[in-house]
């Protein structure tokens, strides 16, 4: 009897040992079987790490967007101090915008190769270097180098392709909403820095404003380095709303892959329609309003600080409009949303010349609120269509579509300044941009659908 108990005990121990060994052997694989929902702590549900990454990305984009508040404010001061024409200054801004767009698809591929943290930290350093170096410039070619080259490359590496990469890796559920929030971060940067920079330019000159922008970019670097993570697998998690996937190996040949994805996408009609509509989006926002609204309002006698404050109000409502657009994109046809957005934007631009006056009056405030709601509401549906059409390559494809956005912005930033030099007014630019937006609305409606497998 005792022998039987002993044998049973030994057998149990052996079985327990085997189970313990098996459990021990499975322990390193635990991240592969993490639940799809956020883990629960003893006190309740923890915040999923994806939301922390999204918050850091939001702050980073705000810091990088600080420079975008400057060009419209500095046209008059640079013209008065150096005698540079609006066309020359607009050319520097257009170089910045073009590089912003052309850098984005390569930056998305570089993030796959070297990681998000390294690419973004270097990009913030480039923005800070360009803003600081501009303090000592004395010739217009230096403006092209500092504002155009350095800042263009830096901000381009933190463009919306950065948002797309973070969203694609860290989120499966709520992608449209998160895209809207991260897109709104650029407007939030404008909201935070535009009135401050306008006040600094008005009271202390343009150089302290450039230094402020440089410091804003540098302050964000520690947040990026210590809190941002490249992939959910780095912390043993599944993406929010999805299943765990191991981190892929670094993708080599970033430039080659970026060009290959462009070549493949360029053979499809939807790519050209998306690129065309987004080029008009850039022309009617960054190229037109952000660059030329303040000097145009100043032409009609409005103080620079008042005009800059109106742009800041655009920033407030842009956050609301873009987040709401992300929510709508999760629920409605992205093509129809784009058509509505562009049509309404075009109508508002046709009325703008009649609203310019020395003082801010209710019709102008209505335009500012309306335009703010529509400012980059086009981004969530455009990114959703890129995902629908191009799958795993969507972040890089969106980078190329963003490049067209910035090429359109660059052309209008330059041509708008030339038109002001030639005609003495911006009216023709407002009317032409309104007509372009109507064209974009029609283009959005003819983008073909992708039939999803049943």
């Amino acid at each position: 009897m005792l022998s039987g108990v002993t044998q049973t005990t030994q057998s149990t121990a052996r079985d327990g040992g085997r189970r313990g060994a098996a459990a021990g052997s499975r322990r390193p694989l635990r991240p592969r079987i993490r639940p799809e929902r956020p883990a629960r702590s003893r006190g309740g549900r923890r915040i999923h790490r994806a939301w922390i990454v999204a918050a850091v990305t939001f702050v980073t984009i705000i810091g990088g967007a600080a420079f975008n508040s400057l060009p419209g404010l500095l046209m008059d001061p640079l013209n008065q101090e150096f005698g540079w024409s609006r066309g020359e200054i607009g050319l520097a801004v257009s170089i910045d915008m073009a590089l912003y767009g052309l850098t984005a698809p390569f930056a998305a591929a570089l993030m796959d190769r070297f990681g998000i943290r390294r690419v973004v930290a270097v990009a913030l350093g480039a923005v800070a270097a360009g803003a600081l170096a501009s303090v000592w410039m004395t010739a217009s070619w230096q403006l092209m180098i500092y504002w155009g080259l350095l800042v263009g490359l830096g901000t381009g590496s933190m463009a919306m392709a950065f948002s797309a990469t973070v969203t694609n890796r860290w989120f499966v559920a709520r992608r449209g909403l998160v895209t809207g929030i991260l897109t709104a971060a650029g407007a939030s940067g404008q909201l935070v820095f535009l009135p401050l920079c306008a006040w600094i330019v008005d009271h202390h000159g343009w150089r302290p404003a450039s230094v402020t922008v440089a410091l804003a970019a540098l302050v964000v670097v520690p947040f990026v380095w210590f809190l941002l993570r490249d992939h959910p697998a780095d912390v043993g998690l599944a993406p929010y709303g999805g299943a765990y996937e191991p981190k892929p190996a670094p993708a080599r040949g970033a430039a080659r892959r970026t060009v290959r994805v462009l070549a493949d996408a360029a053979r499809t009609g939807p790519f050209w329609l998306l690129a065309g509509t987004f080029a008009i989006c850039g022309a009617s926002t960054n190229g037109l309003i952000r660059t030329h609204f303040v000097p145009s309002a100043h032409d009609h006698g409005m103080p620079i600080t008042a005009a800059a404050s109106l742009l800041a109000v655009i920033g407030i409502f842009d956050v609301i409009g873009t987040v709401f657009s992300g929510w709508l994109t999760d629920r409605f046809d992205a093509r129809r949303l784009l058509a509505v957005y562009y049509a309404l934007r075009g109508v508002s631009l046709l009325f703008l010349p009649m609203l310019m006056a020395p003082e801010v009056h209710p019709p102008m405030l209505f335009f500012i609120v309306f335009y703010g709601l529509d400012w980059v509401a086009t981004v969530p549906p455009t990114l959703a269509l890129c995902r629908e059409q191009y799958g795993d390559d969507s972040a890089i494809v969106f980078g190329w579509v963003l490049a067209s956005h910035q090429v359109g912005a660059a052309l209008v930033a330059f041509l708008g300044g030339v038109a002001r030099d030639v005609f003495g007014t911006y009216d023709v630019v407002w009317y032409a941009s309104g007509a372009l937006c109507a064209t974009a609305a029609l283009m959005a409606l003819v983008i073909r659908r992708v039939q999803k497998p049943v």
Side-chain angles (χ1 to χ4, degrees):
M1 183 70 177
L2 180 60
S3 173
V5 172
T6 303
Q7 289 174 353
T8 302
T9 304
Q10 291 173 346
S11 175
T12 303
R14 284 195 300 270
D15 291 344
R18 283 195 296 269
R19 286 194 296 270
S25 65
R26 288 196 300 269
R27 191 168 296 135
L29 300 179
R30 284 185 64 190
R32 295 181 180 273
I33 56 174
R34 286 286 184 100
E36 295 184 7
R37 292 175 297 180
R40 292 178 181 269
S41 64
R42 292 181 180 178
R45 179 173 293 188
R46 294 201 306 259
I47 296 175
H48 194 287
R49 184 62 179 266
W51 294 108
I52 298 175
V53 171
V56 174
T57 304
F58 186 91
V59 173
T60 302
I61 295 173
I62 288 177
F67 179 83
N68 293 334
S69 63
L70 279 181
L73 299 178
L74 302 192
M75 275 203 171
D76 286 333
L78 293 177
N79 173 264
Q80 293 168 7
E81 180 172 339
F82 300 108
W84 301 335
S85 70
R86 293 172 188 263
E88 284 181 291
I89 301 169
L91 179 59
V93 176
S94 70
I95 293 172
D96 162 51
M97 291 182 176
L99 284 176
Y100 177 98
L102 293 172
T103 302
F106 292 96
L110 286 172
M111 288 175 189
D112 287 342
R113 174 67 180 88
F114 298 105
I116 297 174
R117 287 194 301 172
R118 293 178 183 176
V119 173
V120 173
V122 171
L124 288 166
V127 172
L132 278 176
S134 67
V135 172
W136 294 282
M137 65 185 177
T138 56
S140 60
W141 66 265
Q142 293 171 328
L143 183 69
M144 314 294 175
I145 297 295
Y146 303 148
W147 277 23
L149 182 62
L150 285 176
V151 175
L153 291 173
T155 55
S157 298
M158 296 178 292
M160 285 177 277
F162 169 39
S163 302
T165 301
V166 170
T167 306
N168 287 349
R169 290 186 186 183
W170 282 89
F171 291 87
V172 174
R174 305 286 186 244
R175 275 181 173 171
L177 176 63
V178 175
T179 299
I181 292 172
L182 295 183
T183 302
S188 299
Q190 174 180 291
L191 166 65
V192 170
F193 289 100
L194 189 57
L196 173 63
C197 288
W199 181 85
I200 293 173
V201 170
D202 225 19
H203 290 78
H204 303 284
W206 64 270
R207 288 180 176 84
S210 292
V211 173
T212 301
V213 166
L215 293 176
L218 290 176
V219 164
V220 181
V221 173
F223 290 92
V224 171
W225 196 255
F226 293 108
L227 296 178
L228 195 62
R229 291 295 179 268
D230 293 329
H231 195 277
D234 288 342
V235 288
L237 289 174
Y240 183 82
Y244 178 86
E245 294 180 4
K247 183 177 180 179
R252 298 183 181 277
R256 185 167 57 252
R257 181 190 174 201
T258 302
V259 174
R260 176 184 57 77
V261 169
L262 172 63
D264 292 342
R267 297 190 184 99
T268 65
F271 173 79
W272 294 106
L273 290 170
L274 288 168
T277 55
F278 223 41
I280 294 172
C281 177
S284 56
T285 53
N286 291 350
L288 184 65
I289 297 294
R290 200 191 76 191
T291 305
H292 295 293
F293 178 82
V294 171
S296 176
H298 191 56
D299 284 347
H300 289 78
M302 184 179 295
I304 289 178
T305 50
S309 297
L310 289 177
L311 281 187
V313 174
I314 285 181
I316 294 174
F317 286 94
D318 173 56
V319 174
I320 299 170
T322 309
V323 173
F324 185 55
S325 176
W327 183 85
L328 291 174
T329 302
D330 287 332
R331 290 160 175 79
F332 298 101
D333 185 356
R335 297 157 191 77
R336 295 183 180 181
L337 290 176
L338 284 178
V340 171
Y341 295 158
Y342 285 122
L344 293 176
R345 183 183 299 180
V347 170
S348 66
L349 285 172
L350 295 177
F351 283 97
L352 182 58
M354 295 178 280
L355 305 180
M356 291 291 184
E359 298 178 353
V360 179
H361 46 77
M364 174 60 84
L365 287 176
F366 178 80
F367 169 84
I368 291 297
V369 170
F370 182 84
Y371 212 81
L373 291 172
D374 192 67
W375 182 264
V376 282
T378 55
V379 173
T382 300
L383 181 52
L385 289 172
C386 285
R387 288 198 195 100
E388 176 186 307
Q389 299 282 340
Y390 303 105
D392 292 339
D393 290 330
S394 61
I396 296 177
V397 172
F398 181 71
W400 284 113
V401 171
L402 177 62
S404 71
H405 179 281
Q406 293 308 114
V407 169
L411 286 173
V412 171
F414 172 61
L415 294 176
V418 171
R420 170 62 177 78
D421 290 335
V422 172
F423 299 107
T425 177
Y426 281 103
D427 287 0
V428 66
V429 184
W430 307 127
Y431 294 137
S433 297
L436 284 174
C437 288
T439 304
L442 295 176
M443 293 169 66
L445 289 175
V446 299
I447 298 173
R448 66 174 173 81
R449 290 175 177 270
V450 172
Q451 297 297 328
K452 296 181 179 180
V454 180

